[in-house]
Amino acid sequence: MASLQHTRRPRGIKGTRGRGIALHAVLIAGLLLSAFPFYWAVIMSTHTSSEIFSYPPKLLPGSHFLQNLRSLFDNIDFFGSMLNSLLVASAVTFLVLFFDSLAAFVFAKFDFPGRRALFVLLMAIFMVPTQMAIIPQFVMMAKIGWIGSMTALIVPAAANAFGIFWMRQYMRSAIHDELLDASRIDGANFLRQYWHVALPVVRPGLAFLGIFTFMGQWNDYAWPLVALTNPDNVTLQVALSQLNGVHGTTDYGMVMTGALLALVPLLIVFAIGAKQIIGDLGKGAIR
């Protein structure tokens, strides 16, 4: 019996090692597939348009990155439009995190008349495509006098149905009623419960919502194209669209250089938000 057990153990160890190697191989393959579009964007930003469409395709960096960079800065106000996008995306993200989490806290942990009807209405709004609201939203902004200013981008996006739904679902499971009962016994009012009890617990959910909102606003194109009639206030996506030439004269090396630089703020925000999510989840596991 002892010899039989002794012969079986190496087989189990080999099987475990084999599964581990296969899992790591799949993960590495997925990583390479995910990173290849970024690598290809870097490669295209260092070549001319003729070199980009050459066959076989060039898989190594070229020598035209600085030339494409100069062409980019000569054709559009890149840093000015990037600053506009950064202001709009940051302001909208801050407002969404505040208003959506506040509304979600009420929906998740407080009972009041008409709560279910309001939540059903919220879900109905959530299912309406945003493109359907462009015309009435434009009319409303025109009557207020905000067309052409970045206020027309910030105020309508200050709260959204998805953020409220996401934070409500997160708060229902993350915030225990005992915490709120204890805070009420200590004399905490609604705002103190929200700020000192709810927000510290749901920081991973807020981090995800912040990343999602910032990326959505940064990449938004349709509404800024309609609302920003002032050329000085255009966002980065609208400015990059002006690089597309007509009659097949688009400089794709210059376009890819602009697209590559536009990715940098998104990567920074994603790295900060992901670090916050992982750190807070780790703290919660330790607790």
Side-chain angles (χ1 to χ4, degrees), residues 195-219:
W195 189 259
H196 295 287
V197 178
L199 289 188
V201 176
V202 299
R203 281 191 299 181
L206 289 173
F208 167 78
L209 181 59
I211 296 173
F212 183 84
T213 304
F214 188 92
M215 294 180 65
Q217 289 300 315
W218 185 268
N219 293 322

Side-chain angles (χ1 to χ4, degrees), residues 68-205:
N68 293 334
L69 199 63
R70 284 193 296 267
S71 300
L72 174 67
F73 294 155
D74 290 340
N75 282 273
I76 62 172
D77 183 12
F78 182 84
F79 291 107
S81 58
M82 176 179 279
L83 180 60
N84 293 336
S85 291
L86 187 62
L87 291 175
V88 171
S90 300
V92 170
T93 301
F94 174 79
L95 293 174
V96 165
L97 290 179
F98 175 71
F99 288 120
D100 285 10
S101 62
L102 189 64
F105 183 52
V106 175
F107 275 116
K109 292 300 175 180
F110 292 89
D111 192 11
F112 55 90
R115 183 180 68 168
R116 292 187 177 181
L118 286 176
F119 190 73
V120 170
L121 178 62
L122 180 71
M123 290 294 97
I125 296 173
F126 179 38
M127 290 184 286
V128 175
T130 56
Q131 291 78 8
M132 293 183 62
I134 288 182
I135 295 178
Q137 191 168 283
F138 181 86
V139 174
M140 186 181 300
M141 294 297 105
K143 289 183 178 180
I144 298 175
W146 287 351
I147 291 297
S149 67
M150 289 186 287
T151 310
L153 305 183
I154 296 174
V155 174
N160 59 69
F162 169 76
I164 298 175
F165 172 74
W166 160 254
M167 292 307 302
R168 173 188 177 268
Q169 299 302 109
Y170 195 92
M171 287 180 175
R172 289 185 66 182
S173 59
I175 302 175
H176 299 288
D177 294 333
E178 291 80 4
L179 288 175
L180 297 178
D181 293 339
S183 64
R184 294 189 190 100
I185 294 174
D186 291 337
N189 56 19
F190 171 77
L191 289 178
R192 289 189 62 185
Q193 293 176 34
Y194 165 75
W195 189 259
H196 295 287
V197 178
L199 289 188
V201 176
V202 299
R203 281 191 299 181

Side-chain angles (χ1 to χ4, degrees), residues 6 17 26 55 64 67 69 89 120 136 139 177 194 212 232:
H6 180 71
R17 289 179 178 176
V26 172
Y55 184 84
H64 290 80
Q67 180 181 346
L69 199 63
V120 170
V139 174
D177 294 333
Y194 165 75
F212 183 84
D232 296 331

Side-chain angles (χ1 to χ4, degrees), residues 218-229:
W218 185 268
N219 293 322
D220 191 16
Y221 172 73
W223 176 238
L225 180 65
V226 173
L228 296 179
T229 56

